[in-house]
Amino acid sequence: MHHVLKRKAIFGGLPTTSFKSTTTRNTLISILVSYRRQHFSEMASRTYNDAIDTLNTLQTPFAVIEARRKAGIRPDANSVQEMRGYLARIGYSTSSDLEKLNIVHVAGTKGKGSTCAFVDSILSKWHQTKGIPKKVGLFTSPHLIAVRERIRINSRPISEEMFARYFFEVWDRLEDNSTVATDLVEPGTKPIYARYLTLMSYHVYLSEGVDVAIYETGIGGEYDATNVVERPVASGISTLGIDHVYVLGDTVDKIAWHKAGILKKGSPGFTIEQVGSAAEVLKKRAEEKGVDLKVLEVDQRLQGVRVRPDANFQKKNATLAIALAETALKKLDPDFKPDAAALPSEFVDGIEQVVWRGRCEVKEEDNIIWHVDGAHTVDSLKMAARWFVEETKTEGKGPKVLIFNQQGRNEAVDFLDGLCNTVKNADSTGQGFQHVIFCTNVTYATTGYKRDFVNHQYNPADIEKMTQQRIFAEKWASLDTSAKILVISSIEEAINTARGLANSEGEDGSKVQALITGSLHLVGGALGILEKADAL
């Protein structure tokens, strides 16, 4: 009996009120039980690798995702309620404890990660010169190379040792207090993968004395795990667009409703210029919540500041970050007084020196220049294409190569039009990518996924057969009949194929111009291979 109960404790919580029938719920639990019984084993040691292997058992497997989709089940208010229950089980309150973190909360479709990085960089520069705040936390998703990148202190990923220690502390508390807060969450359960990391981040930051923490939402806002915070220092909403349509809806106004869920009465709210329907929804939701939502134009104090890339969308992200950082510092530093005429040097340095990997990066090898951007929506891919075009204007006339993937999203095939046409239309002869490579997110050709990249949420049969990649290839062939298209099974092989093209086609001294885009999972795996890095 004890063994059965302990096994039950590892099953990620399934919402108790979201299911249309007991039969549906029992079917999903049966799938989860079978899956985790197969994948979970007791750990003799408690290393970082052990933590990641255990974390991976909390992923929702593809069969469950499909069953939920067919049953019409989406995240709802129970998601946040369950997070409150899990917080109680590890000894924290959503009000008195989380308020100590002075959370800056950011949602959006495009630019929310960059906005968070700007805020983190600005506050870190302020810390370096003023000693305030003492420690800055940054929680983002997904990770590029190592899971521990999601939880940063003073702009650095926490160490493997720290990650393992706090991971298992949370695990043990959930086990020991499995019957606490059963009115909020089922006894003997654990949160699923992303929620567990969110829960763990609160424990890390509170234990380590972090006094301001920037939180990027995962998906949406209203029902996102990070929305358990009741009184953030400030909330910001970056540019909105179409993404995660199954969960959030298929129109920008439906998506705006979810994103506006992070706005809280008594906390300042900020956004930047949005498309008409989204702007109206944000305004209405803010009024309903009693929030004075400020819509920001590009900050004039950014004139002369080197924002990278030098594009309006990034200046909007920086503008939002400035407002959020100023609001945080008004609370944290009694001597801080915003200057309407000029930015403090710490703000300028924070913006100009920000490091946010996997976005608009350029890396050069002997015969090839890599352009790496984790764009993954129709609009952001067009922006990535325009950035690539601008970069390659001054880099010679070498052949252009695309490496692309986006796994598990059927709508992604429609993202290719803008990417293809933007590059073709910018060329005086109408030449697009000469070589186009579609690969899976499998990291290595022989050993498969890096431990931190294991993902059970996609159909393994589709990955093995490269089903999605073949759909992409067929679509691209209809867009550009002159392109040489390849479908390849791993990121490593895709990169080596591009390097081979550089050796065979770059003999005239011109360098191959390669763009890697479509997914942060792809970009993370690529950067890990290109840099031989364990974390970024």
Side-chain angles (χ1 to χ4, degrees), residues 104-113 115-116 214-222 224 226-227 234-240 248 255-263 270-272 274 282 317 320 324:
V104 174
H105 205 187
V106 182
T109 306
K110 296 168 287 186
K112 61 188 170 88
T115 298
C116 288
I214 303 105
Y215 271 78
E216 176 191 14
T217 58
I219 296 176
E222 179 73 30
D224 188 72
T226 63
N227 207 30
S235 300
I237 300 174
S238 66
T239 301
L240 299 179
L248 304 180
I255 290 169
W257 185 93
H258 282 275
K259 305 293 184 179
I262 69 168
L263 299 174
F270 302 93
T271 188
I272 43 83
Q274 306 284 356
L282 294 184
N317 295 334
L320 182 56
L324 294 170

Side-chain angles (χ1 to χ4, degrees), residues 38-57:
Q38 176 184 354
H39 285 80
F40 183 80
S41 61
E42 296 292 340
M43 297 296 177
S45 61
R46 289 190 158 191
T47 65
Y48 176 74
N49 285 346
D50 295 331
I52 299 305
D53 287 341
T54 307
L55 175 67
N56 285 338
T57 70

Side-chain angles (χ1 to χ4, degrees), residues 270-504:
F270 302 93
T271 188
I272 43 83
E273 183 182 3
Q274 306 284 356
V275 296
S277 58
E280 284 301 312
V281 172
L282 294 184
K283 180 182 177 182
K284 183 178 179 182
R285 286 274 274 161
E287 290 173 351
E288 292 170 350
K289 290 170 171 284
V291 175
D292 179 19
L293 179 64
K294 291 182 171 61
V295 181
L296 307 170
E297 296 181 354
V298 172
D299 197 316
Q300 294 304 303
R301 294 172 294 175
L302 285 171
Q303 291 183 14
V305 178
R306 294 189 299 278
V307 180
R308 294 172 291 118
D310 183 16
N312 197 52
F313 75 86
Q314 193 72 319
K315 291 175 182 176
K316 288 182 178 180
N317 295 334
T319 293
L320 182 56
I322 289 167
L324 294 170
E326 285 181 336
T327 305
L329 287 174
K330 285 177 187 177
K331 180 177 181 181
L332 295 165
D333 186 351
D335 295 328
F336 175 73
K337 300 290 187 295
D339 185 342
L343 292 172
S345 60
E346 292 86 357
F347 278 61
V348 174
D349 290 344
I351 292 166
E352 292 188 342
Q353 298 172 26
V354 66
V355 176
W356 192 229
R357 300 300 309 273
R359 284 80 172 176
C360 298
E361 284 198 52
V362 179
K363 306 183 70 62
E364 191 164 349
E365 294 182 2
D366 290 341
N367 297 319
I368 189 167
I369 301 176
W370 301 100
H371 304 79
V372 183
D373 189 84
H376 54 279
T377 69
V378 62
D379 292 329
S380 61
L381 280 164
K382 289 178 184 176
M383 290 180 184
R386 288 195 289 268
W387 166 71
F388 175 75
V389 166
E390 287 300 313
E391 289 289 324
T392 54
K393 279 182 180 178
T394 59
E395 292 171 357
K397 295 294 182 180
K400 295 186 284 285
V401 177
L402 173 67
I403 298 177
F404 181 94
N405 189 42
Q406 192 165 125
Q407 198 69 43
R409 295 178 62 190
N410 294 332
E411 70 270 21
V413 68
D414 296 322
F415 298 174
L416 299 179
D417 300 64
L419 180 58
C420 176
N421 293 330
T422 299
V423 175
K424 284 177 65 177
N425 294 341
D427 188 274
S428 58
T429 64
Q431 176 68 64
F433 290 100
Q434 286 96 325
H435 300 275
V436 179
I437 301 170
F438 297 109
C439 66
T440 71
N441 287 341
V442 174
T443 322
Y444 302 110
T446 55
T447 57
Y449 290 104
K450 181 179 183 287
R451 174 179 271 105
D452 298 69
F453 291 153
V454 169
N455 194 325
H456 300 305
Q457 295 183 309
Y458 302 134
N459 188 344
D462 284 347
I463 294 172
E464 184 177 354
K465 296 176 183 177
M466 299 187 286
T467 304
Q468 189 72 53
Q469 290 67 39
R470 297 184 192 283
I471 293 172
F472 290 151
E474 183 177 347
K475 175 68 173 181
W476 198 278
S478 71
L479 296 171
D480 187 350
T481 57
S482 67
K484 298 176 182 177
I485 303 170
L486 293 173
V487 172
I488 292 178
S489 61
S490 72
I491 299 171
E492 181 182 37
E493 290 171 291
I495 287 174
N496 287 337
T497 298
R499 283 172 170 160
L501 292 171
N503 292 332
S504 63

Side-chain angles (χ1 to χ4, degrees), residues 15 18 75-88 94 98 105 184-185 195 199 202 219 221-230 261-262 264:
S18 298
D76 56 22
N78 291 294
S79 303
V80 177
Q81 175 179 287
E82 288 175 357
M83 282 298 293
R84 292 193 181 99
Y86 289 127
L87 270 168
T94 57
L98 295 194
H105 205 187
L184 299 175
V185 63
R195 296 180 195 172
L199 186 70
Y202 296 132
I219 296 176
E222 179 73 30
Y223 305 135
D224 188 72
T226 63
N227 207 30
V228 72
V229 59
E230 295 177 357
I262 69 168
K264 304 290 168 61

